[in-house]
Amino acid sequence: AFLDLTGPSEVEGIWKGSITLPCAYVPEKDFVQQTLKWTVVHDQSSGTVFRRDSSGDHVLLSKYRDRVSVLKDAPGNVSLHILNLEVSDRGTYTCEVTWRASNNSLIAKDITTKVEVVKVAATKPIIRASEPGLTFPAGARASLTCVANGSPPISYRWFRSVPGGKALLLSSQAELAWDSLQPSDTGKYYCEAENR
């Protein structure tokens, strides 16, 4: 059908991460988008999150200020992007578009998407090396990067095992780098990923 909005009925986002609420239509040459409105219904409140009209883009709920946007110059794509998700962002969001037809009549359509925000524990990290394999020539530059998924922010720590079963803390960055590897750098290294 023409000028139908499409998007999923439910979207799950990760706490402190970002999310896209898809909403799109196929532009028709005789119909000009007049207004786009994204509204939300929360447990306790409701309101207009974002409005685009001839005067520009407006974020009308202060808790979304600087966190929401809709692409410009993307005809038919009116998806809402939300940054730095809070648990309080969960709710039911409605995308409503109004078009003006060539005979000046107005047509409005809307779709609704339910948003859930989840807290996700950091996954077991994986280690990525700057080279395939973990054998390097002496004097080489090398790096190991620790990568995990989950609710940001994720903090990383690198350790090296030392005799006596102890672990020496080397770094609190995701990347462990050497400018010039020495034979004494040979050993067992561990990374740890942690979030809230």
Side-chain angles (χ1 to χ4, degrees):
F2 97 117
L3 291 181
D4 263 352
L5 299 177
T6 55
S9 59
E10 197 159 330
V11 177
E12 190 173 85
I14 293 179
W15 180 59
K16 297 294 183 189
S18 59
I19 194 176
T20 297
L21 307 192
C23 182
Y25 63 90
V26 177
E28 298 273 342
K29 65 177 188 334
D30 294 333
F31 294 85
V32 178
Q33 182 180 308
Q34 289 287 294
T35 58
L36 159 68
K37 202 162 74 166
W38 275 97
T39 56
V40 65
V41 177
H42 297 300
D43 295 341
Q44 307 296 323
S45 61
S46 62
T48 299
V49 175
F50 179 95
R51 181 183 167 90
R52 173 174 288 171
D53 56 29
S54 56
S55 69
D57 290 357
H58 311 280
V59 178
L60 297 154
L61 286 175
S62 59
K63 83 177 200 110
Y64 290 98
R65 201 145 289 149
D66 302 325
R67 292 201 297 128
V68 297
S69 61
V70 172
L71 285 178
K72 287 181 162 59
D73 307 318
N77 182 351
V78 288
S79 304
L80 184 72
H81 304 283
I82 309 176
L83 303 174
N84 200 8
L85 273 177
E86 295 296 342
V87 174
S88 61
D89 292 337
R90 61 163 61 123
T92 303
Y93 290 74
T94 300
C95 171
E96 183 187 301
V97 179
T98 305
W99 298 269
R100 184 176 293 279
S102 45
N103 66 2
N104 268 342
S105 65
L106 292 176
I107 293 179
K109 296 269 176 90
D110 63 70
I111 60 164
T112 294
T113 302
K114 187 166 179 260
V115 171
E116 196 48 72
V117 178
V118 295
K119 294 187 177 187
V120 177
T123 58
K124 183 178 171 67
I126 59 166
I127 294 173
R128 293 207 178 115
S130 53
E131 303 285 331
L134 291 170
T135 303
F136 302 92
R141 296 176 72 101
S143 68
L144 300 176
T145 305
C146 192
V147 184
N149 293 313
S151 299
I154 299 176
S155 61
Y156 296 96
R157 295 197 298 175
W158 276 100
F159 299 91
R160 180 179 181 176
S161 64
V162 290
K166 292 198 169 23
L168 184 67
L169 177 64
L170 300 175
S171 161
S172 297
Q173 305 291 325
E175 186 184 54
L176 189 61
W178 294 266
D179 283 333
S180 174
L181 278 169
Q182 300 307 313
S184 58
D185 292 319
T186 299
K188 259 193 175 169
Y189 293 82
Y190 300 89
C191 83
E192 175 185 273
E194 181 180 34
N195 66 1
R196 288 157 69 182

